[in-house]
Each structure stands twice: as C-alpha cells, then as structure tokens.
Amino acid sequence: MDVEVRHLKALAAIAEAGTVTAAAARLHMTQPALSRTLAQLEARVGVRLVDRSSRHLDLTPAGATFLGHGRAILAHLDAALAETRAVDRPLRLGYTCAVLGRQSVPLLRAWRRRHPDVPVDVVRQDNSTAGLATGDTDVAVLRTFPADPRICAEALYTEDLVCALPDDHRLADRARVRLAELTAAPALPLALWPEIGTASVDLWPPAQRPDRTVEVHNVDAWLNLVASGGAFGIGTAGTAESHGHPGVRFVPIEDAPAATVYAARPAHATHPRTEEFLAEVRRAVSA
C-alpha cells in the first residue's frame, strides 16, 4: 500500500476546507488533480474515506480515523525536517493549566544549568494532549491520562484538588471545604472544561451534584468566570500555585480524590533530547 505524503495532505485539506474546490485552491492544484489524488488514496487504503453525498464533503468514520493518524505522520515529518535543519532547536514543553506547580522553576533552572545549549520553550496548548497530538510540543505535563495511543505517559506524583472561589464567596475564607458544601444552596454553577479539566460532576454523589454547569475552554476563561462570580471551579494544587488571580481564592477540598500528574511524550520522540529532559523532570519531582 503506497500511501504518499501528498495523499495525506490532500485528505487533510479536504477535511478542513469542506469541498474539493476549496481544498484544491489551498493546495495550489486543480480540482480534477485533487479528485484523482483522493481516488488513488481510497483505492490504496481500500475503503471510502470521504462521503460525497452532499456539496459539503464529510469524512466517513474510516476517513476520520485515517486522518487522525495522517495528521500525526505529517506532524512527525515536519518535526523530523525541522530537527534535520536545526538539531539544536528548542525543546517544546506543553501544558494546559500548569506545568509542575512550584517545581516548575527549579526544573527549568536545572535544565538550563546542565544543558545551556538546548533552550526550552514552555508552550500553553488548550487541548487534551497539550499539543502532543498535533506536533506542537515535544513533551507535555498533563493532569488526565491521554487516551491517544500515539502518546506515552508516566505518572509523576499526585496533587490535591482545590476549589476556585470568588474572593467574596461565603466559603472563600475557609482553610478547607468539603464537596457537599460547594453545592449546598445557594450554590454557584460549576465551571467545567470538558476536554481538559480534572473536575467532573462525578466527584459528587448523585443527590449532591451541582444543579448547573458552565463550559469554558481555557484557563483564562475559567479564572475570569470565577473571579466575576459566575461559577466556582475545581482544579489541582498545581493550577493554584501557577495562577494567582485578582478576585479568586483557592481553597483545598478535604474529601476529594487526588489527581495524578503525568509526563507525556509522543511514542516516536520529536526532539532528540526528549529522554534527557524527562530524566530532569523525574529529578525535579523527586527532590
């Protein structure tokens, strides 16, 4: 099965553009040529990848699966080309809400001392793999285990959960709170970040769950919503250590389960110093 890079790029362009005409323009090729490339790909894979039953083209389930792998291949290829051109490019460390909390600065300083020739770019990525699945990062710190089989993860340590409250909330001055107190009337909605967050209504028994939830899609929106009094949030201690915010008070939750912090990387490393950096991470969290 001789699937080529041009086939993967063609399928990705069609999925993103929605029509062959728009995808062909994006790839600077003619519409008939792109249609032939798609037909070649489907013939070589052996299944229909694109549903052609309407003007707007949608991927079939098989097409969506194939595209996910195809995008990872393209990302790895881009990373390989970049490393070939400049082996000493920065290692990209991804995160969503926090890196390692108070251990972040010691980690980065230790790496700089031991590897002054390899800078680290710390990159926030608002998706479930902190940029690993899209090839935007080389190593990531996650607080949920990645479901993507192309990503390897190892548990580093656990963090307590905290609630984020407006600083004028009735519980904001408490040393610790219990989950049931957060949902007792009068209660704010719970701010949820479905793709990322460690919070879930499943933290509560059915009879005590929040009456309302509000979705957010990044840590800034989460903090601003809480600060304005529009919701309360559940996060990890690392998030509290990394994100002081005017108007938000973080209070430990005494009866919530701890969250696991993971170091993750692609199964096929995208930076030549990945293993050395992971070793530095392990040293930092064990100190």
Side-chain angles (χ1 to χ4, degrees), residues 106-148:
L107 164 67
L108 297 173
R109 287 177 176 172
W111 178 263
R112 184 181 293 275
R113 285 195 303 271
R114 294 188 175 98
H115 305 276
D117 58 322
V118 185
V120 173
D121 286 347
V122 182
V123 184
R124 195 182 95 185
Q125 292 282 313
D126 297 327
N127 53 64
S128 62
T129 64
L132 293 178
T134 55
D136 293 311
T137 56
D138 304 300
V139 177
V141 176
L142 307 175
R143 283 164 174 77
T144 53
F145 190 83
D148 194 321

Short mmCIF file of all heavy atoms in Angstrom, two decimals, residues 106-148:
data_model
loop_
_atom_site.label_atom_id
_atom_site.label_comp_id
_atom_site.label_asym_id
_atom_site.label_seq_id
_atom_site.Cartn_x
_atom_site.Cartn_y
_atom_site.Cartn_z
N PRO A 106 12.36 25.36 39.49
CA PRO A 106 13.56 24.54 39.70
C PRO A 106 13.88 23.62 38.52
O PRO A 106 15.05 23.44 38.18
CB PRO A 106 13.21 23.74 40.96
CG PRO A 106 12.24 24.60 41.69
CD PRO A 106 11.42 25.27 40.62
N LEU A 107 12.84 23.06 37.89
CA LEU A 107 13.08 22.20 36.73
C LEU A 107 13.76 22.97 35.61
O LEU A 107 14.78 22.53 35.06
CB LEU A 107 11.75 21.63 36.23
CG LEU A 107 11.77 21.03 34.81
CD1 LEU A 107 12.64 19.77 34.78
CD2 LEU A 107 10.35 20.75 34.32
N LEU A 108 13.21 24.11 35.25
CA LEU A 108 13.74 24.88 34.12
C LEU A 108 15.13 25.43 34.41
O LEU A 108 15.99 25.48 33.51
CB LEU A 108 12.77 26.00 33.76
CG LEU A 108 11.39 25.51 33.29
CD1 LEU A 108 10.44 26.69 33.13
CD2 LEU A 108 11.49 24.72 32.00
N ARG A 109 15.38 25.82 35.66
CA ARG A 109 16.71 26.31 36.01
C ARG A 109 17.74 25.18 35.97
O ARG A 109 18.87 25.38 35.51
CB ARG A 109 16.67 26.96 37.39
CG ARG A 109 15.97 28.31 37.40
CD ARG A 109 15.91 28.89 38.81
NE ARG A 109 15.31 30.23 38.80
CZ ARG A 109 15.00 30.90 39.89
NH1 ARG A 109 15.23 30.38 41.10
NH2 ARG A 109 14.45 32.10 39.80
N ALA A 110 17.36 24.01 36.47
CA ALA A 110 18.29 22.87 36.45
C ALA A 110 18.62 22.47 35.02
O ALA A 110 19.78 22.17 34.70
CB ALA A 110 17.68 21.69 37.21
N TRP A 111 17.60 22.46 34.16
CA TRP A 111 17.86 22.12 32.76
C TRP A 111 18.80 23.14 32.12
O TRP A 111 19.72 22.77 31.39
CB TRP A 111 16.54 22.04 31.98
CG TRP A 111 16.76 21.74 30.52
CD1 TRP A 111 16.81 22.65 29.50
CD2 TRP A 111 17.01 20.47 29.94
NE1 TRP A 111 17.05 22.01 28.31
CE2 TRP A 111 17.18 20.68 28.54
CE3 TRP A 111 17.09 19.18 30.45
CZ2 TRP A 111 17.43 19.63 27.66
CZ3 TRP A 111 17.33 18.12 29.56
CH2 TRP A 111 17.51 18.36 28.20
N ARG A 112 18.58 24.41 32.38
CA ARG A 112 19.43 25.44 31.79
C ARG A 112 20.88 25.29 32.25
O ARG A 112 21.82 25.49 31.48
CB ARG A 112 18.90 26.83 32.14
CG ARG A 112 19.67 27.97 31.50
CD ARG A 112 19.11 29.32 31.90
NE ARG A 112 17.77 29.51 31.37
CZ ARG A 112 17.51 29.99 30.15
NH1 ARG A 112 18.52 30.32 29.36
NH2 ARG A 112 16.27 30.15 29.75
N ARG A 113 21.07 24.94 33.54
CA ARG A 113 22.44 24.76 34.03
C ARG A 113 23.12 23.57 33.37
O ARG A 113 24.29 23.66 32.99
CB ARG A 113 22.42 24.55 35.56
CG ARG A 113 22.15 25.78 36.37
CD ARG A 113 22.51 25.55 37.83
NE ARG A 113 21.80 24.41 38.41
CZ ARG A 113 20.61 24.49 38.99
NH1 ARG A 113 20.00 25.68 39.08
NH2 ARG A 113 20.03 23.41 39.51
N ARG A 114 22.39 22.47 33.23
CA ARG A 114 23.00 21.26 32.70
C ARG A 114 23.04 21.22 31.19
O ARG A 114 23.89 20.53 30.60
CB ARG A 114 22.24 20.03 33.22
CG ARG A 114 22.34 19.82 34.72
CD ARG A 114 21.73 18.48 35.13
NE ARG A 114 21.92 18.22 36.55
CZ ARG A 114 21.01 18.44 37.49
NH1 ARG A 114 19.82 18.92 37.15
NH2 ARG A 114 21.27 18.18 38.75
N HIS A 115 22.12 21.92 30.53
CA HIS A 115 22.03 21.87 29.06
C HIS A 115 21.86 23.28 28.50
O HIS A 115 20.83 23.59 27.89
CB HIS A 115 20.84 20.99 28.64
CG HIS A 115 20.87 19.61 29.21
ND1 HIS A 115 21.60 18.59 28.65
CD2 HIS A 115 20.27 19.09 30.32
CE1 HIS A 115 21.44 17.49 29.37
NE2 HIS A 115 20.65 17.77 30.39
N PRO A 116 22.84 24.13 28.67
CA PRO A 116 22.69 25.52 28.21
C PRO A 116 22.56 25.64 26.70
O PRO A 116 22.13 26.68 26.20
CB PRO A 116 23.99 26.19 28.70
CG PRO A 116 24.96 25.06 28.84
CD PRO A 116 24.15 23.88 29.29
N ASP A 117 22.90 24.57 25.98
CA ASP A 117 22.82 24.61 24.52
C ASP A 117 21.45 24.24 23.98
O ASP A 117 21.20 24.33 22.78
CB ASP A 117 23.86 23.66 23.92
CG ASP A 117 23.68 22.22 24.40
OD1 ASP A 117 23.33 22.05 25.59
OD2 ASP A 117 23.90 21.29 23.61
N VAL A 118 20.55 23.79 24.86
CA VAL A 118 19.21 23.35 24.41
C VAL A 118 18.15 24.13 25.19
O VAL A 118 17.75 23.73 26.29
CB VAL A 118 18.99 21.83 24.61
CG1 VAL A 118 17.64 21.41 24.02
CG2 VAL A 118 20.12 21.04 23.98
N PRO A 119 17.68 25.25 24.66
CA PRO A 119 16.64 26.01 25.37
C PRO A 119 15.31 25.25 25.38
O PRO A 119 15.06 24.38 24.54
CB PRO A 119 16.53 27.30 24.56
CG PRO A 119 17.07 26.96 23.21
CD PRO A 119 18.11 25.90 23.41
N VAL A 120 14.49 25.58 26.35
CA VAL A 120 13.15 25.00 26.46
C VAL A 120 12.12 26.11 26.26
O VAL A 120 12.19 27.15 26.92
CB VAL A 120 12.94 24.34 27.84
CG1 VAL A 120 11.48 23.90 28.01
CG2 VAL A 120 13.87 23.14 27.98
N ASP A 121 11.21 25.90 25.33
CA ASP A 121 10.07 26.80 25.14
C ASP A 121 8.88 26.20 25.88
O ASP A 121 8.46 25.08 25.59
CB ASP A 121 9.72 26.94 23.66
CG ASP A 121 10.72 27.80 22.91
OD1 ASP A 121 11.53 28.48 23.56
OD2 ASP A 121 10.71 27.77 21.66
N VAL A 122 8.35 26.92 26.86
CA VAL A 122 7.17 26.46 27.60
C VAL A 122 5.94 27.01 26.89
O VAL A 122 5.77 28.23 26.77
CB VAL A 122 7.22 26.94 29.06
CG1 VAL A 122 6.02 26.40 29.84
CG2 VAL A 122 8.53 26.47 29.72
N VAL A 123 5.09 26.10 26.41
CA VAL A 123 4.02 26.47 25.48
C VAL A 123 2.68 26.01 26.04
O VAL A 123 2.47 24.82 26.29
CB VAL A 123 4.24 25.81 24.10
CG1 VAL A 123 3.16 26.28 23.12
CG2 VAL A 123 5.62 26.11 23.56
N ARG A 124 1.75 26.94 26.23
CA ARG A 124 0.40 26.55 26.64
C ARG A 124 -0.39 26.13 25.41
O ARG A 124 -0.44 26.85 24.41
CB ARG A 124 -0.33 27.69 27.34
CG ARG A 124 -1.58 27.20 28.08
CD ARG A 124 -2.32 28.33 28.75
NE ARG A 124 -3.40 28.83 27.91
CZ ARG A 124 -4.15 29.88 28.20
NH1 ARG A 124 -3.90 30.57 29.30
NH2 ARG A 124 -5.11 30.28 27.39
N GLN A 125 -1.01 24.97 25.48
CA GLN A 125 -1.85 24.45 24.41
C GLN A 125 -3.18 24.01 25.02
O GLN A 125 -3.20 23.17 25.91
CB GLN A 125 -1.17 23.25 23.72
CG GLN A 125 0.08 23.61 22.93
CD GLN A 125 -0.26 24.24 21.60
OE1 GLN A 125 -1.10 23.72 20.85
NE2 GLN A 125 0.39 25.34 21.28
N ASP A 126 -4.27 24.60 24.53
CA ASP A 126 -5.57 24.35 25.14
C ASP A 126 -6.27 23.15 24.51
O ASP A 126 -7.34 23.25 23.93
CB ASP A 126 -6.45 25.60 25.03
CG ASP A 126 -5.87 26.77 25.80
OD1 ASP A 126 -5.24 26.54 26.84
OD2 ASP A 126 -6.04 27.93 25.35
N ASN A 127 -5.62 21.99 24.61
CA ASN A 127 -6.23 20.74 24.13
C ASN A 127 -5.79 19.60 25.03
O ASN A 127 -4.91 19.76 25.87
CB ASN A 127 -5.88 20.48 22.66
CG ASN A 127 -4.39 20.52 22.40
OD1 ASN A 127 -3.65 19.70 22.91
ND2 ASN A 127 -3.95 21.51 21.62
N SER A 128 -6.40 18.45 24.86
CA SER A 128 -6.26 17.36 25.83
C SER A 128 -4.85 16.80 25.92
O SER A 128 -4.49 16.19 26.94
CB SER A 128 -7.24 16.23 25.51
OG SER A 128 -6.97 15.68 24.23
N THR A 129 -4.03 16.96 24.88
CA THR A 129 -2.66 16.43 24.93
C THR A 129 -1.62 17.54 25.02
O THR A 129 -0.43 17.29 24.86
CB THR A 129 -2.35 15.56 23.70
OG1 THR A 129 -2.41 16.36 22.51
CG2 THR A 129 -3.35 14.40 23.59
N ALA A 130 -2.06 18.77 25.27
CA ALA A 130 -1.15 19.92 25.39
C ALA A 130 -0.22 20.02 24.19
O ALA A 130 0.96 20.33 24.33
CB ALA A 130 -0.36 19.85 26.69
N GLY A 131 -0.77 19.76 23.00
CA GLY A 131 -0.01 19.95 21.77
C GLY A 131 0.73 18.74 21.25
O GLY A 131 1.29 18.79 20.15
N LEU A 132 0.76 17.63 21.99
CA LEU A 132 1.49 16.45 21.52
C LEU A 132 0.85 15.84 20.29
O LEU A 132 1.55 15.47 19.33
CB LEU A 132 1.57 15.40 22.64
CG LEU A 132 2.42 15.76 23.86
CD1 LEU A 132 2.35 14.65 24.88
CD2 LEU A 132 3.87 16.03 23.47
N ALA A 133 -0.46 15.70 20.29
CA ALA A 133 -1.14 15.04 19.17
C ALA A 133 -1.02 15.82 17.88
O ALA A 133 -1.06 15.25 16.79
CB ALA A 133 -2.61 14.80 19.51
N THR A 134 -0.86 17.13 17.98
CA THR A 134 -0.78 17.97 16.78
C THR A 134 0.66 18.27 16.39
O THR A 134 0.91 18.98 15.42
CB THR A 134 -1.52 19.29 17.01
OG1 THR A 134 -1.00 19.93 18.19
CG2 THR A 134 -3.01 19.05 17.18
N GLY A 135 1.63 17.75 17.16
CA GLY A 135 3.02 18.00 16.84
C GLY A 135 3.53 19.36 17.26
O GLY A 135 4.62 19.77 16.86
N ASP A 136 2.77 20.09 18.08
CA ASP A 136 3.17 21.43 18.50
C ASP A 136 4.09 21.42 19.72
O ASP A 136 4.68 22.44 20.06
CB ASP A 136 1.94 22.28 18.80
CG ASP A 136 1.14 22.58 17.54
OD1 ASP A 136 1.75 23.00 16.55
OD2 ASP A 136 -0.09 22.38 17.54
N THR A 137 4.16 20.28 20.42
CA THR A 137 5.05 20.16 21.57
C THR A 137 5.77 18.82 21.51
O THR A 137 5.34 17.89 20.81
CB THR A 137 4.26 20.28 22.89
OG1 THR A 137 3.22 19.30 22.93
CG2 THR A 137 3.66 21.67 23.05
N ASP A 138 6.86 18.73 22.28
CA ASP A 138 7.68 17.51 22.30
C ASP A 138 7.47 16.71 23.58
O ASP A 138 7.58 15.48 23.58
CB ASP A 138 9.16 17.88 22.19
CG ASP A 138 9.45 18.71 20.96
OD1 ASP A 138 9.20 18.22 19.85
OD2 ASP A 138 9.93 19.86 21.10
N VAL A 139 7.23 17.40 24.67
CA VAL A 139 6.95 16.80 25.97
C VAL A 139 5.82 17.62 26.58
O VAL A 139 5.70 18.81 26.30
CB VAL A 139 8.19 16.84 26.89
CG1 VAL A 139 7.87 16.28 28.27
CG2 VAL A 139 9.35 16.07 26.27
N ALA A 140 4.98 16.98 27.38
CA ALA A 140 3.88 17.72 28.00
C ALA A 140 3.65 17.23 29.42
O ALA A 140 3.91 16.06 29.74
CB ALA A 140 2.60 17.58 27.19
N VAL A 141 3.17 18.13 30.25
CA VAL A 141 2.70 17.77 31.58
C VAL A 141 1.18 17.80 31.54
O VAL A 141 0.57 18.82 31.19
CB VAL A 141 3.23 18.74 32.64
CG1 VAL A 141 2.65 18.40 34.02
CG2 VAL A 141 4.76 18.69 32.69
N LEU A 142 0.57 16.66 31.87
CA LEU A 142 -0.89 16.51 31.81
C LEU A 142 -1.43 16.11 33.17
O LEU A 142 -0.72 15.49 33.97
CB LEU A 142 -1.26 15.44 30.77
CG LEU A 142 -0.68 15.58 29.36
CD1 LEU A 142 -1.07 14.38 28.51
CD2 LEU A 142 -1.17 16.87 28.71
N ARG A 143 -2.69 16.42 33.39
CA ARG A 143 -3.34 16.01 34.63
C ARG A 143 -4.53 15.09 34.37
O ARG A 143 -5.32 14.83 35.26
CB ARG A 143 -3.73 17.25 35.44
CG ARG A 143 -2.50 17.83 36.14
CD ARG A 143 -2.68 19.23 36.66
NE ARG A 143 -1.51 19.65 37.42
CZ ARG A 143 -0.34 20.04 36.89
NH1 ARG A 143 -0.21 20.09 35.56
NH2 ARG A 143 0.68 20.39 37.66
N THR A 144 -4.63 14.61 33.16
CA THR A 144 -5.52 13.50 32.82
C THR A 144 -4.73 12.57 31.91
O THR A 144 -3.90 13.03 31.10
CB THR A 144 -6.79 13.97 32.09
OG1 THR A 144 -6.43 14.78 30.96
CG2 THR A 144 -7.68 14.78 33.03
N PHE A 145 -4.95 11.28 32.02
CA PHE A 145 -4.19 10.31 31.22
C PHE A 145 -4.62 10.42 29.77
O PHE A 145 -5.81 10.40 29.46
CB PHE A 145 -4.42 8.89 31.73
CG PHE A 145 -3.49 7.89 31.12
CD1 PHE A 145 -2.21 7.71 31.63
CD2 PHE A 145 -3.89 7.15 30.01
CE1 PHE A 145 -1.34 6.79 31.06
CE2 PHE A 145 -3.02 6.24 29.43
CZ PHE A 145 -1.74 6.05 29.96
N PRO A 146 -3.67 10.55 28.83
CA PRO A 146 -4.05 10.70 27.42
C PRO A 146 -4.62 9.42 26.84
O PRO A 146 -4.05 8.34 27.00
CB PRO A 146 -2.71 11.07 26.75
CG PRO A 146 -1.67 10.47 27.64
CD PRO A 146 -2.21 10.57 29.04
N ALA A 147 -5.77 9.56 26.16
CA ALA A 147 -6.41 8.39 25.55
C ALA A 147 -5.79 8.05 24.20
O ALA A 147 -6.02 6.96 23.68
CB ALA A 147 -7.90 8.66 25.37
N ASP A 148 -5.02 8.96 23.63
CA ASP A 148 -4.43 8.76 22.31
C ASP A 148 -3.33 7.70 22.38
O ASP A 148 -2.35 7.86 23.12
CB ASP A 148 -3.84 10.09 21.82
CG ASP A 148 -3.51 10.08 20.35
OD1 ASP A 148 -3.03 9.05 19.85
OD2 ASP A 148 -3.73 11.11 19.68
#
